[in-house]
Amino acid sequence: MISNRPYMIRALYEWIVDNQWTPHVQVDARFPGVDVPQAFVQDGTIVLNMHPQSVMGLTMENDWFSFRARFKGVEQTIGFPPQAVEAVFARENGQGMSFPPEPYPELSSTSQSGLESDSKPVKGKKPTLTIVK
């Protein structure tokens, strides 16, 4: 069965944009395959501004989300599976939804994330939603 998570993320994203708010997503940066600028990761998570005026080339497919954005003036490509999304919310008022953590998929030496089989993700405390204003 196809997960409902990508559908819920897209629906919340559209609702936030339609209300002229700023959509943010909180992503588990340790989830296998996540490609985000590590310099901006705090406690294993990163909060990304996904406002249409802040990102370029946004795609939100059932198995992969990606876009280009600037971090300290340098354009970077961001990519992550929807399973890595911990929350979607509006910056202005915190309206949105958090998601339960997904189990990390088993890694192999030929995994798409490029991690070695002995490079297991670090499991830390449960994710929390941090509202950035």
Side-chain angles (χ1 to χ4, degrees):
M1 174 168 46
I2 298 172
S3 170
N4 67 358
R5 188 179 293 229
Y7 296 91
M8 298 298 290
I9 295 167
R10 286 191 295 262
L12 287 163
Y13 173 87
E14 288 182 26
W15 175 73
I16 291 168
V17 171
D18 287 351
N19 280 288
Q20 299 179 354
W21 297 327
T22 308
H24 280 62
V25 294
Q26 180 174 319
V27 177
D28 177 356
R30 298 178 192 140
F31 199 91
V34 170
D35 186 12
V36 296
Q38 293 298 308
F40 298 93
V41 172
Q42 294 181 347
D43 296 324
T45 60
I46 186 168
V47 176
L48 301 166
N49 175 352
M50 290 180 52
H51 191 279
Q53 294 179 342
S54 300
V55 301
M56 298 160 283
L58 175 64
T59 61
M60 292 192 285
E61 301 295 328
N62 286 346
D63 61 347
W64 191 252
F65 291 180
S66 66
F67 58 89
R68 293 183 320 279
R70 293 190 173 276
F71 291 82
K72 291 195 175 185
V74 178
E75 185 177 301
Q76 298 192 35
T77 300
I78 307 302
F80 50 91
Q83 295 84 2
V85 175
E86 298 174 333
V88 181
F89 60 94
R91 179 187 69 202
E92 291 79 2
N93 58 18
Q95 292 284 320
M97 176 185 282
S98 61
F99 297 95
E102 289 276 334
Y104 291 168
E106 292 298 316
L107 296 177
S108 69
S109 59
T110 59
S111 73
Q112 289 182 343
S113 68
L115 296 174
E116 300 288 328
S117 61
D118 59 349
S119 296
K120 297 287 185 195
V122 178
K123 292 187 180 179
K125 61 184 178 182
K126 286 189 171 186
T128 58
L129 177 60
T130 304
I131 298 176
V132 180
K133 293 196 178 211

